[in-house]
Amino acid sequence: MKGAVMKKLIMIHDENLCIGCQACSVACRNENGVPSGVYRLQVHGKTSGVFPNLKLDYSRASCVMCEDSPCVDVCPTGASFKTKDGVTLIDERLCVSCKYCILACPYDARFVDPVTHAIGKCTFCYTNRTSKGLQPACVSVCPTDALTFGDVNDVNSEVSKLLAKTSVEYPKAYLNTKPRLANIKNKKGGRYE
């Protein structure tokens, strides 16, 4: 279709809603058969302040789906590549596990799969869910709706509506990799009595 706008898939992690339950990580592990000892995504908690003024922030650690992906640029075999929707994937048949992509990733989001010995990472569940119109596993199970996913080029999508009304931050934006994973920073105070 001439003039059709390509999809631009984006995920937003709202730190104000995240409770650190790890349901997203468990769903990812189950959906994608992630072996023990490695992860595609994880939620980390960090405390700050002094009692009774404590604050607990949860942040998502995963591939941020850079538009300008250093991991794709350094891959000597073409195993790391972009889909038509801009999602970075790995073709395990071409991966020689040279680890160049692991070294190039400024987000520490890739790992060597201990079973296949290929490189693994978050894929937004592209082949098994999102390319079929489903939400990524992590988004579908989040009990607090801390994750929003969709096509930012679709003005009627939830992700577009959220971006239109909310300020977001992109991880390590100063690197100019143009991440497609954004965060809504925790604005809650921290007084526990």
Side-chain angles (χ1 to χ4, degrees):
M1 184 198 282
K2 190 174 183 177
V5 177
M6 296 294 283
K7 284 185 179 179
K8 184 175 179 179
L9 300 174
I10 299 240
M11 185 178 292
I12 299 173
H13 175 247
D14 189 337
E15 296 175 3
N16 297 281
L17 298 175
C18 183
I19 58 173
C21 69
Q22 300 296 337
C24 55
S25 186
V26 171
C28 173
R29 186 170 295 287
N30 288 331
E31 178 70 27
N32 299 293
V34 180
S36 295
V38 294
Y39 63 90
R40 288 181 173 205
L41 81 91
Q42 209 169 38
V43 174
H44 298 288
K46 180 182 177 189
T47 57
S48 60
V50 177
F51 184 82
N53 297 311
L54 296 172
K55 183 177 178 184
L56 182 57
D57 292 316
Y58 293 106
S59 61
R60 178 185 169 110
S62 72
C63 175
V64 300
M65 296 297 169
C66 306
E67 287 183 41
D68 293 330
S69 307
C71 58
V72 171
D73 293 342
V74 301
C75 183
T77 65
S80 284
F81 68 98
K82 293 266 194 209
T83 67
K84 62 181 172 44
D85 298 329
V87 176
T88 305
L89 297 180
I90 301 163
D91 185 338
E92 289 187 4
R93 298 167 302 172
L94 298 175
C95 182
V96 295
S97 198
C98 66
K99 303 177 188 70
Y100 288 171
C101 60
I102 291 176
L103 294 171
C105 176
Y107 302 96
D108 196 27
R110 289 176 170 239
F111 59 90
V112 177
D113 186 304
V115 176
T116 66
H117 304 292
I119 305 303
K121 63 178 250 355
C122 170
T123 62
F124 281 170
C125 294
Y126 188 78
T127 55
N128 48 340
R129 295 183 64 89
T130 57
S131 64
K132 299 171 183 170
L134 300 171
Q135 293 286 303
C138 59
V139 176
S140 71
V141 301
C142 182
T144 61
D145 295 325
L147 296 171
T148 306
F149 179 81
D151 178 9
V152 75
N153 289 335
D154 175 359
V155 294
N156 295 315
S157 71
E158 291 303 313
V159 78
S160 286
K161 292 175 184 175
L162 185 57
L163 283 171
K165 66 180 184 180
T166 308
S167 175
V168 298
E169 292 183 10
Y170 294 92
K172 300 183 182 179
Y174 58 88
L175 295 175
N176 295 316
T177 60
K178 300 180 191 127
R180 289 189 177 186
L181 174 69
N183 299 305
I184 299 173
K185 296 311 275 179
N186 187 356
K187 295 178 178 57
K188 295 183 281 187
R191 182 150 175 98
Y192 300 101
E193 300 179 307

mmCIF file with all atom_site columns, all heavy atoms in Angstrom, residues 11-13 18 24 27 35 42 44 48 52 63 66 70 74 77-78 80 82 95 106 114 135 137 154 176 191-192:
data_model
loop_
_atom_site.group_PDB
_atom_site.id
_atom_site.type_symbol
_atom_site.label_atom_id
_atom_site.label_alt_id
_atom_site.label_comp_id
_atom_site.label_asym_id
_atom_site.label_entity_id
_atom_site.label_seq_id
_atom_site.pdbx_PDB_ins_code
_atom_site.Cartn_x
_atom_site.Cartn_y
_atom_site.Cartn_z
_atom_site.occupancy
_atom_site.B_iso_or_equiv
_atom_site.pdbx_formal_charge
_atom_site.auth_seq_id
_atom_site.auth_comp_id
_atom_site.auth_asym_id
_atom_site.auth_atom_id
_atom_site.pdbx_PDB_model_num
ATOM 1   N N   . MET A 1 11  ? 7.359  0.527   23.968 1.00 0.00 ? 11  MET A N   1
ATOM 2   C CA  . MET A 1 11  ? 6.875  0.083   25.269 1.00 0.00 ? 11  MET A CA  1
ATOM 3   C C   . MET A 1 11  ? 7.189  1.165   26.294 1.00 0.00 ? 11  MET A C   1
ATOM 4   O O   . MET A 1 11  ? 8.266  1.762   26.261 1.00 0.00 ? 11  MET A O   1
ATOM 5   C CB  . MET A 1 11  ? 7.532  -1.230  25.693 1.00 0.00 ? 11  MET A CB  1
ATOM 6   C CG  . MET A 1 11  ? 6.972  -1.794  26.998 1.00 0.00 ? 11  MET A CG  1
ATOM 7   S SD  . MET A 1 11  ? 7.699  -3.370  27.493 1.00 0.00 ? 11  MET A SD  1
ATOM 8   C CE  . MET A 1 11  ? 7.067  -4.452  26.223 1.00 0.00 ? 11  MET A CE  1
ATOM 9   N N   . ILE A 1 12  ? 6.244  1.389   27.188 1.00 0.00 ? 12  ILE A N   1
ATOM 10  C CA  . ILE A 1 12  ? 6.431  2.363   28.267 1.00 0.00 ? 12  ILE A CA  1
ATOM 11  C C   . ILE A 1 12  ? 6.282  1.643   29.598 1.00 0.00 ? 12  ILE A C   1
ATOM 12  O O   . ILE A 1 12  ? 5.322  0.900   29.818 1.00 0.00 ? 12  ILE A O   1
ATOM 13  C CB  . ILE A 1 12  ? 5.411  3.514   28.175 1.00 0.00 ? 12  ILE A CB  1
ATOM 14  C CG1 . ILE A 1 12  ? 5.575  4.254   26.847 1.00 0.00 ? 12  ILE A CG1 1
ATOM 15  C CG2 . ILE A 1 12  ? 5.580  4.476   29.351 1.00 0.00 ? 12  ILE A CG2 1
ATOM 16  C CD1 . ILE A 1 12  ? 4.502  5.294   26.585 1.00 0.00 ? 12  ILE A CD1 1
ATOM 17  N N   . HIS A 1 13  ? 7.262  1.850   30.475 1.00 0.00 ? 13  HIS A N   1
ATOM 18  C CA  . HIS A 1 13  ? 7.250  1.280   31.829 1.00 0.00 ? 13  HIS A CA  1
ATOM 19  C C   . HIS A 1 13  ? 6.979  2.423   32.794 1.00 0.00 ? 13  HIS A C   1
ATOM 20  O O   . HIS A 1 13  ? 7.772  3.351   32.921 1.00 0.00 ? 13  HIS A O   1
ATOM 21  C CB  . HIS A 1 13  ? 8.607  0.626   32.131 1.00 0.00 ? 13  HIS A CB  1
ATOM 22  C CG  . HIS A 1 13  ? 8.720  0.120   33.525 1.00 0.00 ? 13  HIS A CG  1
ATOM 23  N ND1 . HIS A 1 13  ? 9.588  0.667   34.442 1.00 0.00 ? 13  HIS A ND1 1
ATOM 24  C CD2 . HIS A 1 13  ? 8.071  -0.883  34.176 1.00 0.00 ? 13  HIS A CD2 1
ATOM 25  C CE1 . HIS A 1 13  ? 9.477  0.018   35.581 1.00 0.00 ? 13  HIS A CE1 1
ATOM 26  N NE2 . HIS A 1 13  ? 8.563  -0.923  35.451 1.00 0.00 ? 13  HIS A NE2 1
ATOM 27  N N   . CYS A 1 18  ? 4.497  0.290   38.859 1.00 0.00 ? 18  CYS A N   1
ATOM 28  C CA  . CYS A 1 18  ? 5.214  -0.972  39.026 1.00 0.00 ? 18  CYS A CA  1
ATOM 29  C C   . CYS A 1 18  ? 5.397  -1.285  40.509 1.00 0.00 ? 18  CYS A C   1
ATOM 30  O O   . CYS A 1 18  ? 5.794  -0.424  41.291 1.00 0.00 ? 18  CYS A O   1
ATOM 31  C CB  . CYS A 1 18  ? 6.574  -0.894  38.344 1.00 0.00 ? 18  CYS A CB  1
ATOM 32  S SG  . CYS A 1 18  ? 7.525  -2.424  38.406 1.00 0.00 ? 18  CYS A SG  1
ATOM 33  N N   . CYS A 1 24  ? 6.099  -9.992  35.066 1.00 0.00 ? 24  CYS A N   1
ATOM 34  C CA  . CYS A 1 24  ? 6.556  -9.781  33.688 1.00 0.00 ? 24  CYS A CA  1
ATOM 35  C C   . CYS A 1 24  ? 7.721  -10.699 33.354 1.00 0.00 ? 24  CYS A C   1
ATOM 36  O O   . CYS A 1 24  ? 7.764  -11.320 32.275 1.00 0.00 ? 24  CYS A O   1
ATOM 37  C CB  . CYS A 1 24  ? 6.927  -8.316  33.458 1.00 0.00 ? 24  CYS A CB  1
ATOM 38  S SG  . CYS A 1 24  ? 8.156  -7.658  34.619 1.00 0.00 ? 24  CYS A SG  1
ATOM 39  N N   . ALA A 1 27  ? 6.434  -14.337 33.117 1.00 0.00 ? 27  ALA A N   1
ATOM 40  C CA  . ALA A 1 27  ? 5.683  -14.542 31.871 1.00 0.00 ? 27  ALA A CA  1
ATOM 41  C C   . ALA A 1 27  ? 6.625  -14.615 30.678 1.00 0.00 ? 27  ALA A C   1
ATOM 42  O O   . ALA A 1 27  ? 6.453  -15.455 29.790 1.00 0.00 ? 27  ALA A O   1
ATOM 43  C CB  . ALA A 1 27  ? 4.673  -13.413 31.674 1.00 0.00 ? 27  ALA A CB  1
ATOM 44  N N   . PRO A 1 35  ? 16.067 -20.107 29.595 1.00 0.00 ? 35  PRO A N   1
ATOM 45  C CA  . PRO A 1 35  ? 16.663 -21.042 30.561 1.00 0.00 ? 35  PRO A CA  1
ATOM 46  C C   . PRO A 1 35  ? 17.014 -20.377 31.890 1.00 0.00 ? 35  PRO A C   1
ATOM 47  O O   . PRO A 1 35  ? 17.151 -19.154 31.974 1.00 0.00 ? 35  PRO A O   1
ATOM 48  C CB  . PRO A 1 35  ? 17.944 -21.516 29.871 1.00 0.00 ? 35  PRO A CB  1
ATOM 49  C CG  . PRO A 1 35  ? 17.998 -20.892 28.538 1.00 0.00 ? 35  PRO A CG  1
ATOM 50  C CD  . PRO A 1 35  ? 16.912 -19.865 28.447 1.00 0.00 ? 35  PRO A CD  1
ATOM 51  N N   . GLN A 1 42  ? 14.085 -8.110  33.522 1.00 0.00 ? 42  GLN A N   1
ATOM 52  C CA  . GLN A 1 42  ? 14.000 -8.198  34.974 1.00 0.00 ? 42  GLN A CA  1
ATOM 53  C C   . GLN A 1 42  ? 13.650 -6.816  35.503 1.00 0.00 ? 42  GLN A C   1
ATOM 54  O O   . GLN A 1 42  ? 13.941 -5.804  34.874 1.00 0.00 ? 42  GLN A O   1
ATOM 55  C CB  . GLN A 1 42  ? 15.336 -8.661  35.543 1.00 0.00 ? 42  GLN A CB  1
ATOM 56  C CG  . GLN A 1 42  ? 15.210 -9.420  36.826 1.00 0.00 ? 42  GLN A CG  1
ATOM 57  C CD  . GLN A 1 42  ? 16.524 -10.090 37.217 1.00 0.00 ? 42  GLN A CD  1
ATOM 58  O OE1 . GLN A 1 42  ? 17.596 -9.531  37.028 1.00 0.00 ? 42  GLN A OE1 1
ATOM 59  N NE2 . GLN A 1 42  ? 16.440 -11.271 37.775 1.00 0.00 ? 42  GLN A NE2 1
ATOM 60  N N   . HIS A 1 44  ? 14.303 -4.317  38.646 1.00 0.00 ? 44  HIS A N   1
ATOM 61  C CA  . HIS A 1 44  ? 15.210 -4.090  39.778 1.00 0.00 ? 44  HIS A CA  1
ATOM 62  C C   . HIS A 1 44  ? 14.631 -3.015  40.684 1.00 0.00 ? 44  HIS A C   1
ATOM 63  O O   . HIS A 1 44  ? 14.111 -2.004  40.211 1.00 0.00 ? 44  HIS A O   1
ATOM 64  C CB  . HIS A 1 44  ? 16.588 -3.632  39.286 1.00 0.00 ? 44  HIS A CB  1
ATOM 65  C CG  . HIS A 1 44  ? 17.277 -4.633  38.421 1.00 0.00 ? 44  HIS A CG  1
ATOM 66  N ND1 . HIS A 1 44  ? 17.806 -5.798  38.903 1.00 0.00 ? 44  HIS A ND1 1
ATOM 67  C CD2 . HIS A 1 44  ? 17.520 -4.646  37.085 1.00 0.00 ? 44  HIS A CD2 1
ATOM 68  C CE1 . HIS A 1 44  ? 18.353 -6.482  37.926 1.00 0.00 ? 44  HIS A CE1 1
ATOM 69  N NE2 . HIS A 1 44  ? 18.181 -5.812  36.800 1.00 0.00 ? 44  HIS A NE2 1
ATOM 70  N N   . SER A 1 48  ? 16.028 4.602   48.264 1.00 0.00 ? 48  SER A N   1
ATOM 71  C CA  . SER A 1 48  ? 16.761 5.849   48.512 1.00 0.00 ? 48  SER A CA  1
ATOM 72  C C   . SER A 1 48  ? 16.106 6.542   49.704 1.00 0.00 ? 48  SER A C   1
ATOM 73  O O   . SER A 1 48  ? 14.980 6.251   50.066 1.00 0.00 ? 48  SER A O   1
ATOM 74  C CB  . SER A 1 48  ? 16.741 6.749   47.273 1.00 0.00 ? 48  SER A CB  1
ATOM 75  O OG  . SER A 1 48  ? 15.420 7.083   46.908 1.00 0.00 ? 48  SER A OG  1
ATOM 76  N N   . PRO A 1 52  ? 12.260 7.811   58.248 1.00 0.00 ? 52  PRO A N   1
ATOM 77  C CA  . PRO A 1 52  ? 11.070 7.230   57.642 1.00 0.00 ? 52  PRO A CA  1
ATOM 78  C C   . PRO A 1 52  ? 10.794 7.740   56.224 1.00 0.00 ? 52  PRO A C   1
ATOM 79  O O   . PRO A 1 52  ? 9.774  7.423   55.653 1.00 0.00 ? 52  PRO A O   1
ATOM 80  C CB  . PRO A 1 52  ? 9.954  7.634   58.593 1.00 0.00 ? 52  PRO A CB  1
ATOM 81  C CG  . PRO A 1 52  ? 10.367 9.001   59.053 1.00 0.00 ? 52  PRO A CG  1
ATOM 82  C CD  . PRO A 1 52  ? 11.883 8.939   59.131 1.00 0.00 ? 52  PRO A CD  1
ATOM 83  N N   . CYS A 1 63  ? 16.271 -5.267  26.756 1.00 0.00 ? 63  CYS A N   1
ATOM 84  C CA  . CYS A 1 63  ? 16.614 -4.581  25.506 1.00 0.00 ? 63  CYS A CA  1
ATOM 85  C C   . CYS A 1 63  ? 15.676 -3.394  25.360 1.00 0.00 ? 63  CYS A C   1
ATOM 86  O O   . CYS A 1 63  ? 14.482 -3.484  25.655 1.00 0.00 ? 63  CYS A O   1
ATOM 87  C CB  . CYS A 1 63  ? 16.446 -5.547  24.324 1.00 0.00 ? 63  CYS A CB  1
ATOM 88  S SG  . CYS A 1 63  ? 16.712 -4.783  22.708 1.00 0.00 ? 63  CYS A SG  1
ATOM 89  N N   . CYS A 1 66  ? 16.701 -0.163  20.392 1.00 0.00 ? 66  CYS A N   1
ATOM 90  C CA  . CYS A 1 66  ? 17.262 1.051   19.795 1.00 0.00 ? 66  CYS A CA  1
ATOM 91  C C   . CYS A 1 66  ? 16.913 1.156   18.308 1.00 0.00 ? 66  CYS A C   1
ATOM 92  O O   . CYS A 1 66  ? 16.980 0.163   17.590 1.00 0.00 ? 66  CYS A O   1
ATOM 93  C CB  . CYS A 1 66  ? 18.785 1.044   19.895 1.00 0.00 ? 66  CYS A CB  1
ATOM 94  S SG  . CYS A 1 66  ? 19.447 0.813   21.536 1.00 0.00 ? 66  CYS A SG  1
ATOM 95  N N   . PRO A 1 70  ? 23.558 -0.393  18.048 1.00 0.00 ? 70  PRO A N   1
ATOM 96  C CA  . PRO A 1 70  ? 24.970 -0.751  17.936 1.00 0.00 ? 70  PRO A CA  1
ATOM 97  C C   . PRO A 1 70  ? 25.167 -2.251  17.763 1.00 0.00 ? 70  PRO A C   1
ATOM 98  O O   . PRO A 1 70  ? 26.077 -2.695  17.075 1.00 0.00 ? 70  PRO A O   1
ATOM 99  C CB  . PRO A 1 70  ? 25.591 -0.275  19.241 1.00 0.00 ? 70  PRO A CB  1
ATOM 100 C CG  . PRO A 1 70  ? 24.570 0.513   19.959 1.00 0.00 ? 70  PRO A CG  1
ATOM 101 C CD  . PRO A 1 70  ? 23.249 0.275   19.311 1.00 0.00 ? 70  PRO A CD  1
ATOM 102 N N   . VAL A 1 74  ? 27.428 -4.100  14.586 1.00 0.00 ? 74  VAL A N   1
ATOM 103 C CA  . VAL A 1 74  ? 28.685 -4.857  14.757 1.00 0.00 ? 74  VAL A CA  1
ATOM 104 C C   . VAL A 1 74  ? 28.564 -6.334  14.416 1.00 0.00 ? 74  VAL A C   1
ATOM 105 O O   . VAL A 1 74  ? 29.577 -7.032  14.364 1.00 0.00 ? 74  VAL A O   1
ATOM 106 C CB  . VAL A 1 74  ? 29.244 -4.724  16.198 1.00 0.00 ? 74  VAL A CB  1
ATOM 107 C CG1 . VAL A 1 74  ? 29.521 -3.274  16.543 1.00 0.00 ? 74  VAL A CG1 1
ATOM 108 C CG2 . VAL A 1 74  ? 28.334 -5.389  17.214 1.00 0.00 ? 74  VAL A CG2 1
ATOM 109 N N   . THR A 1 77  ? 27.757 -11.521 10.974 1.00 0.00 ? 77  THR A N   1
ATOM 110 C CA  . THR A 1 77  ? 27.048 -12.508 10.157 1.00 0.00 ? 77  THR A CA  1
ATOM 111 C C   . THR A 1 77  ? 25.650 -12.070 9.740  1.00 0.00 ? 77  THR A C   1
ATOM 112 O O   . THR A 1 77  ? 24.991 -12.768 8.972  1.00 0.00 ? 77  THR A O   1
ATOM 113 C CB  . THR A 1 77  ? 26.912 -13.836 10.926 1.00 0.00 ? 77  THR A CB  1
ATOM 114 O OG1 . THR A 1 77  ? 26.069 -13.619 12.076 1.00 0.00 ? 77  THR A OG1 1
ATOM 115 C CG2 . THR A 1 77  ? 28.265 -14.383 11.336 1.00 0.00 ? 77  THR A CG2 1
ATOM 116 N N   . GLY A 1 78  ? 25.171 -10.942 10.268 1.00 0.00 ? 78  GLY A N   1
ATOM 117 C CA  . GLY A 1 78  ? 23.802 -10.512 9.995  1.00 0.00 ? 78  GLY A CA  1
ATOM 118 C C   . GLY A 1 78  ? 22.782 -11.213 10.874 1.00 0.00 ? 78  GLY A C   1
ATOM 119 O O   . GLY A 1 78  ? 21.581 -11.118 10.633 1.00 0.00 ? 78  GLY A O   1
ATOM 120 N N   . SER A 1 80  ? 22.047 -10.486 13.966 1.00 0.00 ? 80  SER A N   1
ATOM 121 C CA  . SER A 1 80  ? 21.272 -9.411  14.596 1.00 0.00 ? 80  SER A CA  1
ATOM 122 C C   . SER A 1 80  ? 20.727 -8.545  13.476 1.00 0.00 ? 80  SER A C   1
ATOM 123 O O   . SER A 1 80  ? 21.487 -8.050  12.640 1.00 0.00 ? 80  SER A O   1
ATOM 124 C CB  . SER A 1 80  ? 22.150 -8.576  15.519 1.00 0.00 ? 80  SER A CB  1
ATOM 125 O OG  . SER A 1 80  ? 22.411 -9.263  16.716 1.00 0.00 ? 80  SER A OG  1
ATOM 126 N N   . LYS A 1 82  ? 16.958 -6.081  12.025 1.00 0.00 ? 82  LYS A N   1
ATOM 127 C CA  . LYS A 1 82  ? 15.732 -5.346  12.331 1.00 0.00 ? 82  LYS A CA  1
ATOM 128 C C   . LYS A 1 82  ? 14.575 -5.895  11.489 1.00 0.00 ? 82  LYS A C   1
ATOM 129 O O   . LYS A 1 82  ? 14.747 -6.187  10.312 1.00 0.00 ? 82  LYS A O   1
ATOM 130 C CB  . LYS A 1 82  ? 15.894 -3.865  11.965 1.00 0.00 ? 82  LYS A CB  1
ATOM 131 C CG  . LYS A 1 82  ? 16.879 -3.143  12.816 1.00 0.00 ? 82  LYS A CG  1
ATOM 132 C CD  . LYS A 1 82  ? 16.137 -2.514  13.910 1.00 0.00 ? 82  LYS A CD  1
ATOM 133 C CE  . LYS A 1 82  ? 16.982 -1.501  14.616 1.00 0.00 ? 82  LYS A CE  1
ATOM 134 N NZ  . LYS A 1 82  ? 16.544 -1.409  15.985 1.00 0.00 ? 82  LYS A NZ  1
ATOM 135 N N   . CYS A 1 95  ? 23.835 -16.938 14.058 1.00 0.00 ? 95  CYS A N   1
ATOM 136 C CA  . CYS A 1 95  ? 24.640 -16.491 15.200 1.00 0.00 ? 95  CYS A CA  1
ATOM 137 C C   . CYS A 1 95  ? 25.798 -17.455 15.457 1.00 0.00 ? 95  CYS A C   1
ATOM 138 O O   . CYS A 1 95  ? 25.593 -18.660 15.593 1.00 0.00 ? 95  CYS A O   1
ATOM 139 C CB  . CYS A 1 95  ? 23.762 -16.378 16.445 1.00 0.00 ? 95  CYS A CB  1
ATOM 140 S SG  . CYS A 1 95  ? 24.646 -15.774 17.895 1.00 0.00 ? 95  CYS A SG  1
ATOM 141 N N   . PRO A 1 106 ? 24.981 -0.984  25.039 1.00 0.00 ? 106 PRO A N   1
ATOM 142 C CA  . PRO A 1 106 ? 25.221 -0.144  26.218 1.00 0.00 ? 106 PRO A CA  1
ATOM 143 C C   . PRO A 1 106 ? 24.208 -0.365  27.340 1.00 0.00 ? 106 PRO A C   1
ATOM 144 O O   . PRO A 1 106 ? 24.287 0.248   28.389 1.00 0.00 ? 106 PRO A O   1
ATOM 145 C CB  . PRO A 1 106 ? 25.103 1.276   25.660 1.00 0.00 ? 106 PRO A CB  1
ATOM 146 C CG  . PRO A 1 106 ? 24.219 1.154   24.476 1.00 0.00 ? 106 PRO A CG  1
ATOM 147 C CD  . PRO A 1 106 ? 24.433 -0.227  23.918 1.00 0.00 ? 106 PRO A CD  1
ATOM 148 N N   . PRO A 1 114 ? 22.568 -20.552 27.569 1.00 0.00 ? 114 PRO A N   1
ATOM 149 C CA  . PRO A 1 114 ? 23.372 -21.704 27.967 1.00 0.00 ? 114 PRO A CA  1
ATOM 150 C C   . PRO A 1 114 ? 22.977 -23.011 27.271 1.00 0.00 ? 114 PRO A C   1
ATOM 151 O O   . PRO A 1 114 ? 23.730 -23.970 27.295 1.00 0.00 ? 114 PRO A O   1
ATOM 152 C CB  . PRO A 1 114 ? 23.135 -21.801 29.481 1.00 0.00 ? 114 PRO A CB  1
ATOM 153 C CG  . PRO A 1 114 ? 21.861 -21.083 29.724 1.00 0.00 ? 114 PRO A CG  1
ATOM 154 C CD  . PRO A 1 114 ? 21.743 -20.037 28.661 1.00 0.00 ? 114 PRO A CD  1
ATOM 155 N N   . GLN A 1 135 ? -0.304 -8.617  22.529 1.00 0.00 ? 135 GLN A N   1
ATOM 156 C CA  . GLN A 1 135 ? 0.614  -7.866  23.390 1.00 0.00 ? 135 GLN A CA  1
ATOM 157 C C   . GLN A 1 135 ? 1.782  -8.780  23.790 1.00 0.00 ? 135 GLN A C   1
ATOM 158 O O   . GLN A 1 135 ? 1.603  -9.997  23.891 1.00 0.00 ? 135 GLN A O   1
ATOM 159 C CB  . GLN A 1 135 ? -0.112 -7.404  24.659 1.00 0.00 ? 135 GLN A CB  1
ATOM 160 C CG  . GLN A 1 135 ? -1.185 -6.367  24.426 1.00 0.00 ? 135 GLN A CG  1
ATOM 161 C CD  . GLN A 1 135 ? -0.599 -5.012  24.127 1.00 0.00 ? 135 GLN A CD  1
ATOM 162 O OE1 . GLN A 1 135 ? 0.167  -4.463  24.888 1.00 0.00 ? 135 GLN A OE1 1
ATOM 163 N NE2 . GLN A 1 135 ? -0.969 -4.455  22.978 1.00 0.00 ? 135 GLN A NE2 1
ATOM 164 N N   . ALA A 1 137 ? 4.148  -10.847 26.237 1.00 0.00 ? 137 ALA A N   1
ATOM 165 C CA  . ALA A 1 137 ? 3.737  -11.595 27.426 1.00 0.00 ? 137 ALA A CA  1
ATOM 166 C C   . ALA A 1 137 ? 3.818  -10.740 28.683 1.00 0.00 ? 137 ALA A C   1
ATOM 167 O O   . ALA A 1 137 ? 2.915  -10.779 29.535 1.00 0.00 ? 137 ALA A O   1
ATOM 168 C CB  . ALA A 1 137 ? 4.586  -12.854 27.577 1.00 0.00 ? 137 ALA A CB  1
ATOM 169 N N   . ASP A 1 154 ? 0.140  4.940   15.342 1.00 0.00 ? 154 ASP A N   1
ATOM 170 C CA  . ASP A 1 154 ? -1.317 4.827   15.364 1.00 0.00 ? 154 ASP A CA  1
ATOM 171 C C   . ASP A 1 154 ? -1.820 5.766   16.451 1.00 0.00 ? 154 ASP A C   1
ATOM 172 O O   . ASP A 1 154 ? -1.679 5.494   17.643 1.00 0.00 ? 154 ASP A O   1
ATOM 173 C CB  . ASP A 1 154 ? -1.718 3.380   15.673 1.00 0.00 ? 154 ASP A CB  1
ATOM 174 C CG  . ASP A 1 154 ? -3.225 3.207   15.834 1.00 0.00 ? 154 ASP A CG  1
ATOM 175 O OD1 . ASP A 1 154 ? -3.987 4.188   15.726 1.00 0.00 ? 154 ASP A OD1 1
ATOM 176 O OD2 . ASP A 1 154 ? -3.640 2.055   16.106 1.00 0.00 ? 154 ASP A OD2 1
ATOM 177 N N   . ASN A 1 176 ? 22.207 8.595   22.023 1.00 0.00 ? 176 ASN A N   1
ATOM 178 C CA  . ASN A 1 176 ? 21.550 8.768   20.721 1.00 0.00 ? 176 ASN A CA  1
ATOM 179 C C   . ASN A 1 176 ? 21.267 7.456   19.996 1.00 0.00 ? 176 ASN A C   1
ATOM 180 O O   . ASN A 1 176 ? 21.306 7.391   18.774 1.00 0.00 ? 176 ASN A O   1
ATOM 181 C CB  . ASN A 1 176 ? 22.363 9.706   19.815 1.00 0.00 ? 176 ASN A CB  1
ATOM 182 C CG  . ASN A 1 176 ? 22.425 11.098  20.373 1.00 0.00 ? 176 ASN A CG  1
ATOM 183 O OD1 . ASN A 1 176 ? 21.424 11.634  20.840 1.00 0.00 ? 176 ASN A OD1 1
ATOM 184 N ND2 . ASN A 1 176 ? 23.606 11.698  20.367 1.00 0.00 ? 176 ASN A ND2 1
ATOM 185 N N   . ARG A 1 191 ? 7.215  8.312   52.313 1.00 0.00 ? 191 ARG A N   1
ATOM 186 C CA  . ARG A 1 191 ? 7.109  8.355   53.776 1.00 0.00 ? 191 ARG A CA  1
ATOM 187 C C   . ARG A 1 191 ? 6.346  7.121   54.240 1.00 0.00 ? 191 ARG A C   1
ATOM 188 O O   . ARG A 1 191 ? 5.178  6.938   53.938 1.00 0.00 ? 191 ARG A O   1
ATOM 189 C CB  . ARG A 1 191 ? 6.379  9.614   54.233 1.00 0.00 ? 191 ARG A CB  1
ATOM 190 C CG  . ARG A 1 191 ? 6.307  9.696   55.742 1.00 0.00 ? 191 ARG A CG  1
ATOM 191 C CD  . ARG A 1 191 ? 6.289  11.128  56.192 1.00 0.00 ? 191 ARG A CD  1
ATOM 192 N NE  . ARG A 1 191 ? 6.103  11.172  57.626 1.00 0.00 ? 191 ARG A NE  1
ATOM 193 C CZ  . ARG A 1 191 ? 7.096  11.307  58.489 1.00 0.00 ? 191 ARG A CZ  1
ATOM 194 N NH1 . ARG A 1 191 ? 8.318  11.413  58.063 1.00 0.00 ? 191 ARG A NH1 1
ATOM 195 N NH2 . ARG A 1 191 ? 6.855  11.347  59.773 1.00 0.00 ? 191 ARG A NH2 1
ATOM 196 N N   . TYR A 1 192 ? 7.043  6.264   54.967 1.00 0.00 ? 192 TYR A N   1
ATOM 197 C CA  . TYR A 1 192 ? 6.439  5.045   55.514 1.00 0.00 ? 192 TYR A CA  1
ATOM 198 C C   . TYR A 1 192 ? 6.428  5.150   57.029 1.00 0.00 ? 192 TYR A C   1
ATOM 199 O O   . TYR A 1 192 ? 7.458  5.357   57.641 1.00 0.00 ? 192 TYR A O   1
ATOM 200 C CB  . TYR A 1 192 ? 7.228  3.810   55.075 1.00 0.00 ? 192 TYR A CB  1
ATOM 201 C CG  . TYR A 1 192 ? 7.268  3.657   53.587 1.00 0.00 ? 192 TYR A CG  1
ATOM 202 C CD1 . TYR A 1 192 ? 8.379  4.036   52.842 1.00 0.00 ? 192 TYR A CD1 1
ATOM 203 C CD2 . TYR A 1 192 ? 6.164  3.155   52.912 1.00 0.00 ? 192 TYR A CD2 1
ATOM 204 C CE1 . TYR A 1 192 ? 8.398  3.905   51.479 1.00 0.00 ? 192 TYR A CE1 1
ATOM 205 C CE2 . TYR A 1 192 ? 6.182  3.006   51.540 1.00 0.00 ? 192 TYR A CE2 1
ATOM 206 C CZ  . TYR A 1 192 ? 7.294  3.377   50.827 1.00 0.00 ? 192 TYR A CZ  1
ATOM 207 O OH  . TYR A 1 192 ? 7.318  3.244   49.471 1.00 0.00 ? 192 TYR A OH  1
#
